[in-house]
Amino acid sequence: MLYRKLGQTGERVSILGFGCMRLPVFNEKPEMIDQEKAAQLLHYAIDSGINYIDTAYPYHKGRSESFLGDALKDGYREMVYIATKLPSWDIKSREDMDIYLEEQLRKLNTDHIDFYLVHSLNSDYWKNLTELGLFDFLDSAIDDGRIKYAGFSFHDDNETFREIVDAYSWSLCQIQYNIVDEYYQAGKDGLFYAADKGLGIVIMEPMRGGCLAEMVPGDIRKVWDSCDVQRSPAQWCLEYLWDYKEVDVVLSGMSNIKQLEMNLKAAENGYSGLLTTEERNIISKVGDMYRTKLAVDCGGCRYCLPCPVGVNIPLNFKYLNNASIFNNIEMTRKNYINHLGNERKASKCTGCGQCESRCPQHIPIIKTLQKVVDVLEK
């Protein structure tokens, strides 16, 4: 495993981080973590050199942190850095911040959190948190040792990103960035801006929820294959990010051993400045091709869930993108009908709008779900 120093912290972190938002689950109970399989996967990752473990309060409906607290016993806690996040949307007072942190420490079975991030910051959450005393909370939690370094994850525009970077002495930030999202949210400009300020850079959604590794249409596959050095689409996505010297950690939500082993193999070659001009041009071309094909700009972050009536919004959007990217509506419609069942389909949407206020991409979810109905159900 290769390691890089995380910003100005001096901490050496693995270039591949283990994301705990997509742990193995039971087929019959997809909301429940398969503790045995997930622990085996996590231990394999740590034994292979991964030392950056990322979770958050809402992952797996609040079960992810408790899973980690159990899985990191028997010496594993001392081998890793834990990153978790303050649930920004639930904070109504200064006291709430301490209440959530104390609960997370208990769930994680630890006396300190190495990297504590303010979760999913946007302009609305940011205004509320700063008015309630966020900086005082972070300073006091660092001073008393409950957290070691403070950071934030981000979903808004570049102007808001710069404002947040400049407002506090952050140690790290976590941004969505990949071959498609170079100019989205914080974007490339934000990546460089934060790195120049000394922040460690953690990348989330390197494959847009796995779509860039799994949903590869024939014309894009041909472009990948035209390069002299052959890589899987997942390798292209990861090596594109590691090519930046500013990027310290790339998170991947790995659900099985095959995904983990593939990413570990790619990480062996994760040096900055490794890609050639030709390879960078190929990546740029593929990014442009994907951007023209997307029907909905959903990265599968799942912040829109749970839906009160059970609609699986990201999965609906994945199938809509499948139809658009592969230009095969009949095949996609068949898979959509077979895989979603009656309760998770777009047509079950009641238009309550709860999801839209939580979407970091500001997708018009209700309108787009109706498009899913029109394309795949009618």
Side-chain angles (χ1 to χ4, degrees), residues 21-298:
M21 189 172 73
R22 298 183 176 94
L23 295 167
V25 296
F26 294 102
N27 291 333
E28 66 277 13
K29 293 182 178 180
E31 74 280 3
M32 299 296 293
I33 298 170
D34 186 327
Q35 301 274 341
E36 183 177 353
K37 286 185 179 179
Q40 289 174 351
L41 189 67
L42 178 66
H43 293 163
Y44 189 155
I46 298 171
D47 291 339
S48 299
I50 293 178
N51 70 358
Y52 191 101
I53 312 298
D54 173 84
T55 186
Y57 188 84
Y59 290 176
H60 284 279
K61 296 187 177 180
R63 297 180 176 92
S64 179
E65 290 174 324
S66 297
F67 158 75
L68 270 185
D70 289 333
L72 291 178
K73 294 176 180 177
D74 300 325
Y76 278 102
R77 172 64 182 99
E78 290 71 32
M79 298 170 66
V80 301
Y81 298 103
I82 293 177
T84 194
K85 308 175 188 76
L86 177 75
S88 304
W89 51 90
D90 279 340
I91 302 302
K92 304 297 187 295
S93 68
R94 167 67 177 80
E95 291 73 23
D96 284 348
M97 302 178 196
D98 285 303
I99 290 170
Y100 276 105
L101 176 55
E102 292 298 331
E103 179 185 353
Q104 291 172 291
L105 287 166
R106 289 193 299 271
K107 290 166 70 175
L108 288 163
N109 193 31
T110 186
D111 62 356
H112 75 281
I113 293 165
D114 301 289
F115 302 113
Y116 196 62
L117 286 73
V118 186
H119 201 171
S120 192
L121 279 184
N122 57 33
S123 57
D124 292 336
Y125 295 158
W126 176 243
K127 183 175 184 296
N128 178 58
L129 289 167
T130 51
E131 289 177 352
L132 293 176
L134 175 65
F135 302 152
D136 174 70
F137 162 69
L138 293 174
D139 287 342
S140 64
I142 291 171
D143 288 344
D144 63 29
R146 287 177 294 167
I147 68 175
K148 194 169 183 182
Y149 301 103
F152 66 94
S153 67
F154 181 80
H155 290 288
D156 208 318
D157 58 32
N158 183 267
E159 182 179 354
T160 303
F161 181 76
R162 284 172 170 254
E163 177 187 342
I164 293 171
V165 168
D166 292 341
Y168 183 73
S169 55
W170 306 104
S171 294
L172 70 158
C173 64
Q174 182 173 314
I175 62 173
Q176 178 172 324
Y177 195 75
N178 52 63
I179 63 173
V180 176
D181 294 325
E182 288 184 317
Y183 308 103
Y184 181 68
Q185 295 184 4
K188 184 181 292 188
D189 176 78
L191 187 159
F192 290 144
Y193 187 79
D196 286 344
K197 295 282 185 175
L199 276 69
I201 306 295
V202 180
I203 300 296
M204 59 181 161
E205 302 297 344
M207 303 174 207
R208 273 183 151 245
C211 294
L212 299 178
E214 300 167 1
M215 296 163 51
V216 186
D219 55 346
I220 289 179
R221 175 71 70 175
K222 287 180 180 178
V223 176
W224 285 142
D225 292 344
S226 69
C227 185
D228 292 337
V229 178
Q230 294 298 294
R231 300 174 174 88
S232 69
Q235 284 178 297
W236 276 109
C237 291
L238 292 172
E239 291 189 23
Y240 160 75
L241 294 167
W242 288 323
D243 191 52
Y244 287 97
K245 62 179 174 50
E246 293 82 5
V247 169
D248 301 309
V249 182
V250 177
L251 298 175
S252 181
M254 297 164 282
S255 303
N256 56 61
I257 294 293
K258 181 179 179 181
Q259 293 172 352
L260 173 58
E261 289 180 337
M262 178 180 64
N263 290 350
L264 288 170
K265 182 66 176 177
E268 294 176 2
N269 217 30
Y271 297 96
S272 62
L274 183 69
L275 297 178
T276 66
T277 300
E278 177 196 3
E279 289 166 339
R280 294 188 183 111
N281 289 338
I282 285 174
I283 290 170
S284 180
K285 182 177 180 178
V286 167
D288 289 340
M289 292 172 72
Y290 267 116
R291 281 186 282 271
T292 64
K293 291 174 180 288
L294 290 173
V296 54
D297 198 16
C298 173

Side-chain angles (χ1 to χ4, degrees), residues 307 309-312 316 340-349:
C307 165
V309 295
V311 177
N312 189 319
N316 276 273
L340 267 90
N342 290 325
E343 299 306 316
R344 300 190 295 170
K345 288 180 181 177
S347 54
K348 291 292 183 179
C349 173

